[in-house]
Amino acid sequence: MADRSQVCSIWVGSETGILKGVSLSKKQAFNFCEMSCLSRDQEVCALCWGDQHETEVLVGSVNGTVKTFSTEKGIFTETRQCGDIGQGKFTGLAVTDSSLITCVESGLLRVWKEGSTDTVEINAGKNVCRMRQNPSQRHQVATGGKDNGLKVWDLERPDAAIFTSKNVRNDWLDLRVPEWVRDMAFIPNSDKIVTCTGHHQVRVYDPSSPRRRPVLEAQFGEYPLTALSLPANQDSVVVGNTQGHIAILDLRKGLVRRCLKGLAGGVRGLQCHPSLPLVASCGLDRFLRVHSLEDSSLQHKVYLKSRLNCVLLSSRDLELGGSGEPGDVEEVKEEAEDEEVWNAMEKVQEKPEKRKGEEMETAECVEKITKKKSVEKITKKKSVETITKKKSVEKINKKKRKVVQK
């Protein structure tokens, strides 16, 4: 298992509770879990790196457990109970130097200090959809959800949010515009934050602005946006929606630069590579895709058999394996997760298709048989008519003889 996990450069969490590792250099995908105890409450809903060296992956499940997976050993080394099903799914995981940060849908934001039973609890409001960490200031996180605007929290001063967004002005009917923050990201080398909403809006907030309203707003499509990620160039954002549409938007002008094609289901996970012009996406169609941000071409496509929730990229070159050589990948094969079940099923073979010549011969035979039956039917009908006429003539002759005798 250690050999498999060390060559994986992309990690994906599935609805079935399986952590999947994909090696683009080896052209393989692997499952890391215990198949005997899989259940729906082990669905993976959040992933993050456990350390800066990327030797650990933290896996958040629906049942409230956070598992630590070692990429060097290829096994799960630790399991923590950080919540329960009643509080909702994990909407985000993060780590600081000595603490684990978790957030659930009910709005309970917790800081779990290593080696201590004491936790810091923050109420981020109801219906939280996402929690993200500031990569430059790791003690800051942002939260947002349905009817729950963007908030930025300083975990060293957890009493109140250091920034709370203000909703946009009422519409032309003087009605309140609903808020629905689905995802967010901190723009590097600035204080700005970009969000995407369930009302197909992309907004940029500047906490230093006294207005607290968006300083830029753009729209993409007509369907709810579900995920976003910032590329390495920092002047654009990649967003995905519930219809499987992914677009690159310019953060300076608020315009759509280009769209990425090839998806067939709603996007649930989206992440750009930190240094390369690549973006990985996954969702309901069970495929992991890697697109180029330069020409929008599809670089890799991996079928992983389960509906996928989240994706995590390594900071190294995705196509570098253990040998350090890049690989040209066209198709990635996954290790079977239910091979025994399929092997036990009875094989059903389809009938071989008839060739064109055979089909023509069959048609000719059918036509001959049809003609023969029609001829036999006509002959039989004529015979019946002849017999009927003969009987009627005999009957008339018999009556004539009786009259002559009288």
Side-chain angles (χ1 to χ4, degrees):
M1 296 294 283
D3 296 339
R4 297 177 178 179
S5 61
Q6 289 176 2
V7 299
C8 294
S9 56
I10 304 178
W11 299 91
V12 186
S14 69
E15 275 191 359
T16 54
I18 301 174
L19 175 65
K20 298 173 181 285
V22 179
S23 171
L24 299 181
S25 61
K26 297 291 184 180
K27 304 182 183 181
Q28 287 181 323
F30 306 101
N31 296 320
F32 298 95
C33 67
E34 295 181 5
M35 293 291 183
S36 58
C37 60
L38 280 180
S39 60
R40 296 293 295 179
D41 61 355
Q42 294 184 8
E43 174 185 345
V44 179
C45 50
L47 291 176
C48 78
W49 291 111
D51 59 352
Q52 295 182 356
H53 303 290
E54 299 181 355
T55 60
E56 292 180 347
V57 178
L58 299 183
V59 182
S61 303
V62 172
N63 58 7
T65 61
V66 177
K67 300 178 183 178
T68 303
F69 179 81
S70 173
T71 58
E72 295 180 342
K73 300 177 182 178
I75 58 173
F76 288 93
T77 58
E78 186 181 1
T79 301
R80 307 185 201 178
Q81 189 67 37
C82 298
D84 55 59
I85 299 179
Q87 296 174 346
K89 301 179 181 179
F90 285 114
T91 57
L93 295 177
V95 292
T96 58
D97 296 333
S98 59
S99 303
L100 168 65
I101 306 169
T102 64
C103 185
V104 291
E105 291 176 330
S106 63
L108 184 58
L109 176 64
R110 289 179 176 177
V111 181
W112 307 80
K113 297 182 179 179
E114 186 177 356
S116 175
T117 57
D118 297 335
T119 60
V120 177
E121 295 186 357
I122 299 173
N123 184 11
K126 296 181 180 180
N127 303 321
V128 173
C129 294
R130 191 75 72 193
M131 182 272 290
R132 294 288 189 187
Q133 185 181 33
N134 188 344
S136 59
Q137 301 181 40
R138 301 173 65 85
H139 57 89
Q140 290 185 2
V141 295
T143 61
K146 192 168 187 179
D147 293 325
N148 188 351
L150 175 68
K151 298 182 180 70
V152 181
W153 305 87
D154 188 345
L155 301 179
E156 295 178 352
R157 295 175 294 168
D159 297 333
I162 61 175
F163 172 75
T164 302
S165 67
K166 192 174 182 180
N167 196 9
V168 297
R169 300 185 185 278
N170 294 349
D171 61 11
W172 63 281
L173 291 174
D174 199 25
L175 298 176
R176 177 184 174 273
V177 178
E179 291 183 289
W180 190 2
V181 180
R182 296 296 298 268
D183 202 353
M184 74 284 294
F186 289 86
I187 300 177
N189 303 323
S190 72
D191 296 330
K192 296 180 180 179
I193 304 167
V194 57
T195 68
C196 66
T197 72
H199 304 292
H200 56 87
Q201 301 151 336
V202 177
R203 293 171 174 171
V204 178
Y205 292 88
D206 188 357
S208 61
S209 174
R211 298 194 314 166
R212 295 187 297 156
R213 288 194 170 102
V215 296
L216 175 68
E217 180 172 333
Q219 294 189 1
F220 169 64
E222 300 177 354
Y223 302 98
L225 300 177
T226 54
L228 67 78
S229 184
L230 294 173
N233 58 13
Q234 301 178 9
D235 62 351
S236 59
V237 62
V238 183
V239 296
N241 64 15
T242 57
Q243 298 297 308
H245 304 149
I246 297 179
I248 305 172
L249 275 70
D250 193 325
L251 288 177
R252 296 168 297 183
K253 300 180 180 180
L255 302 176
V256 178
R257 287 185 178 178
R258 63 178 66 93
C259 295
L260 307 181
K261 298 181 180 180
L263 284 80
V267 179
R268 286 186 173 179
L270 194 66
Q271 185 177 359
C272 295
H273 194 275
S275 58
L276 300 175
L278 298 173
V279 59
S281 61
C282 65
L284 296 179
D285 63 355
R286 297 172 169 84
F287 278 95
L288 167 70
R289 292 178 175 85
V290 179
H291 284 86
S292 170
L293 294 175
E294 294 179 338
D295 56 4
S296 304
S297 61
L298 180 63
Q299 301 291 316
H300 305 284
K301 181 179 178 181
V302 188
Y303 181 64
L304 296 176
K305 297 186 179 180
S306 305
R307 294 201 290 186
L308 309 173
N309 291 334
C310 44
V311 61
L312 183 66
L313 296 184
S314 173
S315 60
R316 68 174 188 268
D317 191 342
L318 299 182
E319 295 186 11
L320 286 180
S323 60
E325 298 179 355
D328 184 15
V329 182
E330 296 180 356
E331 179 181 359
V332 179
K333 297 181 180 179
E334 185 197 17
E335 181 187 42
E337 62 186 64
D338 48 2
E339 189 173 348
E340 296 179 358
V341 177
W342 292 108
N343 291 337
M345 294 178 67
E346 182 181 356
K347 293 183 178 180
V348 179
Q349 296 182 351
E350 295 183 357
K351 295 181 180 180
E353 295 183 358
K354 295 181 179 181
R355 297 180 181 178
K356 190 173 181 180
E358 294 178 356
E359 291 179 355
M360 292 178 65
E361 291 178 2
T362 304
E364 290 177 359
C365 292
V366 171
E367 188 177 357
K368 288 180 180 180
I369 292 171
T370 305
K371 287 182 178 180
K372 187 176 179 180
K373 286 184 177 180
S374 62
V375 169
E376 290 178 353
K377 192 174 181 180
I378 293 171
T379 305
K380 188 177 180 181
K381 188 176 181 181
K382 288 183 177 180
S383 300
V384 171
E385 290 178 354
T386 303
I387 294 171
T388 305
K389 287 181 179 179
K390 189 176 180 181
K391 285 184 177 180
S392 62
V393 169
E394 289 179 354
K395 192 173 181 181
I396 293 170
N397 292 336
K398 190 176 179 181
K399 286 183 177 181
K400 286 181 178 181
R401 284 197 297 268
K402 285 184 178 180
V403 170
V404 170
Q405 288 177 359
K406 288 181 178 181

